[in-house]
Amino acid sequence: MCGQWSTTGYVKNQINNRLENELSAEQYEQTLNELSKFKPAIILCGGEILLYPQWQKFMKMLTERDMPMTLITNGTHLRQAAETLVELGLNQLIVSIDGPAPVHDKIRGREGAFNRAIAGIKKVAAIKKEAGIKYPLISLNSTILADNWDSLDKIADLADKLQIDKVTYLHPNFLDKNLWQQHLQVFSSKIGDLSAEWGGFIRSMSDYDADKLAAKIEYIKKQKYSSLITFLPDFSADDIKKYYQDGLFQSKRFSQKCLGPWKTVNIHPDGKVSPCLGYSIGNILDKPFKEIWRGEKMRDFRQVVSEDMPFPACSRCCTFYRF
């Protein structure tokens, strides 16, 4: 759900342009050769990676270079892909589950989506069991929404039943129009470029009962599950209330400096490289990844992040709390 496929979602508004210029697996080869020397963790997400026509070829290229892979999927095509994913040596499989079947299908807007995802998870688990192997580890991701917060514990129960390794509950990325405008002004003045894609996360949180949500999360934390249960960010009860009610929220439990530009970067389907939402520092079609990662534009961005963070929208970004 982080992809924001809603009417105003940034992926929905941007994906067509990016897919029109989608790179082939071969066009990633030079970049993968560069990265293979450092063995970074590769997270395949989107969009839905299993709809990429060359996903098998791309993942095989990662396997051949001994690069650890995590796949995040909605599970719709997981059952058909299960054997290949295990054979290719996938390290971690993360399936997005929003709640029990009625809740999940309502949020996804497709009847049967839940059953297809669960069938895929069971197929992967069965293949692992038969082969006597540990990987891929299987995790569930669940974005906390107004439509599912009351059934979050049911997801943990489901994970126990399916013997899932880990469940991660994610607080949603969001901001109001005023905060977005502030972010655009500050970001453009400091970076010289707009981070306009944050506009896809504009939404009201008036339908969230922060007090009840905090109580629900506290209840889950007190239960004993066989699956590892995590929250991102792992806010206190007081932080949860402020996160949903205070536009200028800043948590005292977390550093107010983002380490994302030193730890991670996104490579989009068209080859653009982004250290921050909506901000591109180059394209792997134009120059080697190493030159982009160590280039002047990235160095300047890191300096601004070091000296001037956080920007207005940063407290609503999961990367801000990840490292």
Side-chain angles (χ1 to χ4, degrees):
M1 292 301 294
C2 189
Q4 293 286 294
W5 287 95
S6 64
T7 303
T8 60
Y10 88 89
V11 170
K12 187 178 182 69
N13 292 336
Q14 298 288 331
I15 199 67
N16 287 335
N17 291 334
R18 287 179 177 166
L19 292 182
E20 286 177 2
N21 301 305
E22 186 176 64
L23 272 59
S24 66
E26 292 81 3
Q27 288 176 296
Y28 286 103
E29 189 162 10
Q30 178 182 336
T31 299
L32 296 184
N33 287 338
E34 290 183 71
L35 294 175
S36 65
K37 301 174 184 177
F38 308 100
K39 300 292 187 294
I42 304 297
I43 301 177
L44 305 172
C45 57
E48 176 53 54
I49 299 302
L50 297 180
L51 292 179
Y52 177 52
Q54 293 184 296
W55 70 265
Q56 296 182 49
K57 184 172 185 176
F58 183 80
M59 290 185 66
K60 185 177 180 182
M61 292 165 65
L62 294 174
T63 301
E64 292 171 345
R65 290 161 176 79
D66 195 27
M67 299 172 71
M69 300 176 285
T70 293
L71 172 67
I72 302 178
T73 175
N74 62 28
T76 305
H77 298 275
L78 181 56
R79 191 175 187 279
Q80 300 93 314
E83 290 186 13
T84 303
L85 290 173
V86 176
E87 289 172 0
L88 287 172
L90 183 67
N91 297 87
Q92 184 178 24
L93 171 68
I94 301 177
V95 183
S96 297
I97 297 293
D98 302 321
V103 175
H104 181 88
D105 289 359
K106 176 185 176 183
I107 292 173
R108 296 286 158 170
R110 177 164 301 210
E111 186 177 353
F114 177 86
N115 288 336
R116 292 182 69 174
I118 299 304
I121 291 171
K122 288 181 176 179
K123 181 73 176 291
V124 173
I127 295 171
K128 286 173 52 180
K129 184 176 181 179
E130 184 176 355
I133 57 177
K134 181 179 179 180
Y135 297 99
L137 299 177
I138 303 176
S139 301
L140 303 183
N141 270 8
S142 184
T143 300
I144 299 169
L145 303 167
D147 288 330
N148 75 349
W149 72 265
D150 196 35
S151 57
L152 294 180
D153 54 316
K154 301 297 190 299
I155 299 172
D157 292 339
L158 173 67
D160 261 13
K161 183 178 179 180
L162 296 176
Q163 297 183 309
I164 298 296
D165 295 292
K166 180 181 179 182
V167 177
T168 299
Y169 295 100
L170 302 105
H171 290 281
N173 298 345
F174 71 94
L175 70 174
D176 60 29
K177 290 184 178 180
N178 290 332
L179 191 61
W180 180 49
Q181 290 298 328
Q182 293 176 35
H183 183 76
L184 290 180
Q185 292 173 8
V186 174
F187 196 93
S188 60
S189 67
K190 298 292 184 179
I191 307 297
D193 199 355
L194 293 178
S195 181
E197 290 185 6
W198 263 109
F201 290 94
I202 294 175
R203 63 169 299 171
S204 169
M205 290 291 112
S206 60
D207 51 357
Y208 278 66
D209 188 321
D211 291 309
K212 290 184 177 179
L213 173 59
K216 174 66 74 171
I217 290 175
E218 188 64 23
Y219 168 81
I220 293 172
K221 288 182 175 181
K222 288 180 178 179
Q223 306 310 302
K224 293 183 179 181
Y225 298 104
S226 59
S227 304
L228 174 64
I229 306 296
T230 63
F231 291 83
L232 182 65
D234 188 12
F235 289 140
S236 66
D238 187 53
D239 275 351
I240 290 172
K241 298 170 188 177
K242 292 178 180 177
Y243 184 76
Y244 290 95
Q245 297 170 349
D246 182 0
L248 298 176
F249 162 80
Q250 289 187 354
S251 173
K252 295 181 180 179
R253 298 185 67 192
F254 295 88
S255 167
Q256 294 305 300
K257 294 294 183 182
C258 180
L259 297 181
W262 289 267
K263 298 283 189 177
T264 186
V265 74
N266 295 319
I267 301 179
H268 296 288
D270 58 2
K272 289 182 179 179
V273 180
S274 299
C276 186
L277 183 63
Y279 179 60
S280 175
I281 57 171
N283 192 303
I284 60 173
L285 292 179
D286 301 326
K287 61 177 65 175
F289 176 83
K290 186 176 179 180
E291 292 184 19
I292 298 174
W293 179 251
R294 298 179 177 176
E296 181 179 1
K297 199 169 184 180
M298 186 60 159
R299 292 199 306 270
D300 290 345
F301 181 69
R302 289 184 179 125
Q303 182 174 351
V304 171
V305 168
S306 295
E307 297 175 353
D308 299 311
M309 284 282 281
F311 302 131
C314 292
S315 66
R316 308 297 174 180
C317 176
C318 56
T319 300
F320 188 65
Y321 302 98
R322 192 178 295 274
F323 305 105

